[in-house]
Amino acid sequence: MIPEKGSIRGVVRATGHSKNTICRWLKIAGTHSKEITAYFLRDLDLKRVEVDEIWSYIKKQKKCNRRRP
């Protein structure tokens, strides 16, 4: 919701949860994301071009998965 609402306060208003709750969940999600990234992206011998290609693929997937009005 943060990308959609643009701020933590926007998410607070939209969900009715406290700012502390939203921040705690963000910390949990960030920790989980870091662990998943470390697990899947370890021991890779990539050049810069290959890493850029990975991010281009991810961005393309995000665009394709967006909801249409």
Side-chain angles (χ1 to χ4, degrees), residues 1-24:
M1 284 189 87
I2 291 196
E4 181 71 26
K5 297 298 179 186
S7 68
I8 291 172
R9 288 183 184 190
V11 175
V12 168
R13 286 189 298 272
T15 63
H17 297 296
S18 73
K19 182 179 175 186
N20 289 338
T21 299
I22 301 300
C23 289
R24 184 172 33 120

Side-chain angles (χ1 to χ4, degrees), residues 21-35:
T21 299
I22 301 300
C23 289
R24 184 172 33 120
W25 278 103
L26 278 173
K27 184 175 180 179
I28 291 168
T31 300
H32 181 70
S33 177
K34 186 176 179 180
E35 291 168 354

Side-chain angles (χ1 to χ4, degrees), residues 11-69:
V11 175
V12 168
R13 286 189 298 272
T15 63
H17 297 296
S18 73
K19 182 179 175 186
N20 289 338
T21 299
I22 301 300
C23 289
R24 184 172 33 120
W25 278 103
L26 278 173
K27 184 175 180 179
I28 291 168
T31 300
H32 181 70
S33 177
K34 186 176 179 180
E35 291 168 354
I36 293 295
T37 299
Y39 178 80
F40 284 110
L41 300 180
R42 66 174 183 238
D43 300 327
L44 298 175
D45 186 27
L46 300 175
K47 296 179 175 95
R48 183 179 179 100
V49 170
E50 292 169 316
V51 174
D52 287 344
E53 288 174 4
I54 290 171
W55 281 112
S56 295
Y57 175 78
I58 291 170
K59 289 178 184 178
K60 182 180 178 184
Q61 291 301 318
K62 283 183 179 182
K63 287 181 183 178
C64 291
N65 292 329
R66 287 188 181 157
R67 292 184 189 175
R68 295 192 177 152

